[in-house]
Amino acid sequence: HWSVDWRYLPTDTHFRLPPWAFRHVADEAELPSLPDIETTVSAPRGFCNFVYSNPWCGVRNAFFLMLNERERVDSLGSVYRNASHPLLGPRDGGDWVDTKLRVLNDYRFTIAFENEEHPGYTSEKILHAWAADSVPIYWGAPVVAQDFPPDSSLSLYEAGSASRLVEQVLEAHHNPDRYRALAAANPFRTGLVELLASGLRADADAFLDRVVDDARAHAGRPRLGARHRAVRSIRWARRTALG
């Protein structure tokens, strides 16, 4: 009767908890402290990184190849690996995320494509880029703008095509004012992540209260046995099939 996952469902019995929020809502992780915007813009950093071990995302792979052809992208994972970083730990290590964030901080841009495309499935990938003060290049959740403002990243959905997105990345890389605007809109820098996480925690508490109240209201109702439930389901299916 009740459900919790990352989908947008128009029902009061469903609570949407996007994957990016797991750490910031459930664990209340400490938010990163970012430098002032001028330090971010002027710091000598690499162009762009690509850190992936899953080779099965064709959209992501194709975009890496397109951008890398125009300007070198450091691929630090096992997919198209062309560089290494001394700070990057093993994926199965306990400090993987911390080492990844330190590495991403060495780059102005991060390719933060999801493994698959699903409306509402906004994972930690885009948050990791922002937490590392790196501008994310994003694809995966077509409605990502419902979670975060579009001016805080470079998105395939806003660009309209991979070739146009490549041009937008290069333009932002070579235009300090454009890069400054993107970095300034970082949701960690503006306080938006903290605001969203706080709102989700309050919404989760309210949702759990409704679940518990509903359970208490029906506590005395006799439960159907497994056989009775199966028979009732079969009868309902037959009625539905027969119209």
Side-chain angles (χ1 to χ4, degrees), residues 138-172:
Y138 186 77
W139 167 87
V143 290
V144 65
Q146 293 188 32
D147 284 335
F148 302 104
D151 62 351
S152 57
S153 66
L154 293 171
S155 166
L156 182 58
Y157 302 105
E158 296 296 322
S161 69
S163 59
R164 176 59 182 150
L165 180 58
V166 167
E167 297 300 330
Q168 290 182 355
V169 173
L170 296 176
E171 191 270 337

Side-chain angles (χ1 to χ4, degrees), residues 155-220:
S155 166
L156 182 58
Y157 302 105
E158 296 296 322
S161 69
S163 59
R164 176 59 182 150
L165 180 58
V166 167
E167 297 300 330
Q168 290 182 355
V169 173
L170 296 176
E171 191 270 337
H173 180 48
H174 296 292
N175 184 331
D177 290 337
R178 175 61 176 141
Y179 188 80
R180 181 182 290 102
L182 287 165
N186 183 323
F188 282 109
R189 180 170 275 116
T190 63
L192 178 61
V193 172
E194 184 176 11
L195 181 65
L196 292 175
S198 177
L200 280 170
R201 281 193 291 271
D203 291 343
D205 288 342
F207 178 79
L208 291 175
D209 285 343
R210 292 202 305 274
V211 173
V212 171
D213 289 345
D214 181 76
R216 287 172 176 166
H218 295 87

Side-chain angles (χ1 to χ4, degrees), residues 38-226:
E38 294 306 320
T39 299
T40 294
V41 174
S42 61
R45 297 193 288 172
F47 166 54
C48 183
N49 71 81
F50 182 79
V51 187
Y52 290 96
S53 60
N54 180 350
W56 303 114
C57 181
V59 174
R60 186 168 63 204
N61 294 347
F63 180 78
F64 164 80
L65 294 174
M66 290 179 66
L67 184 59
N68 187 60
E69 186 175 352
R70 297 288 300 278
E71 187 135 358
R72 177 186 166 88
V73 177
D74 283 356
S75 176
L76 305 170
S78 59
V79 181
Y80 298 122
R81 184 179 181 88
N82 62 13
S84 61
H85 197 293
L87 294 181
L88 189 61
R91 291 189 65 90
D92 57 355
D95 60 349
W96 159 250
V97 173
D98 291 334
T99 66
K100 178 186 175 184
L101 294 183
R102 289 198 293 270
V103 169
L104 266 52
N105 183 249
D106 284 343
Y107 294 88
R108 291 161 63 83
F109 299 92
T110 294
I111 296 178
F113 279 34
E114 308 287 5
N115 293 326
E116 298 177 352
E117 184 179 47
H118 297 288
Y121 188 84
T122 310
S123 78
E124 78 291 343
K125 292 179 176 61
I126 193 169
L127 266 290
H128 283 173
W130 281 321
D133 204 16
S134 180
V135 174
I137 307 168
Y138 186 77
W139 167 87
V143 290
V144 65
Q146 293 188 32
D147 284 335
F148 302 104
D151 62 351
S152 57
S153 66
L154 293 171
S155 166
L156 182 58
Y157 302 105
E158 296 296 322
S161 69
S163 59
R164 176 59 182 150
L165 180 58
V166 167
E167 297 300 330
Q168 290 182 355
V169 173
L170 296 176
E171 191 270 337
H173 180 48
H174 296 292
N175 184 331
D177 290 337
R178 175 61 176 141
Y179 188 80
R180 181 182 290 102
L182 287 165
N186 183 323
F188 282 109
R189 180 170 275 116
T190 63
L192 178 61
V193 172
E194 184 176 11
L195 181 65
L196 292 175
S198 177
L200 280 170
R201 281 193 291 271
D203 291 343
D205 288 342
F207 178 79
L208 291 175
D209 285 343
R210 292 202 305 274
V211 173
V212 171
D213 289 345
D214 181 76
R216 287 172 176 166
H218 295 87
R221 186 175 63 182
R223 296 175 178 269
L224 297 177

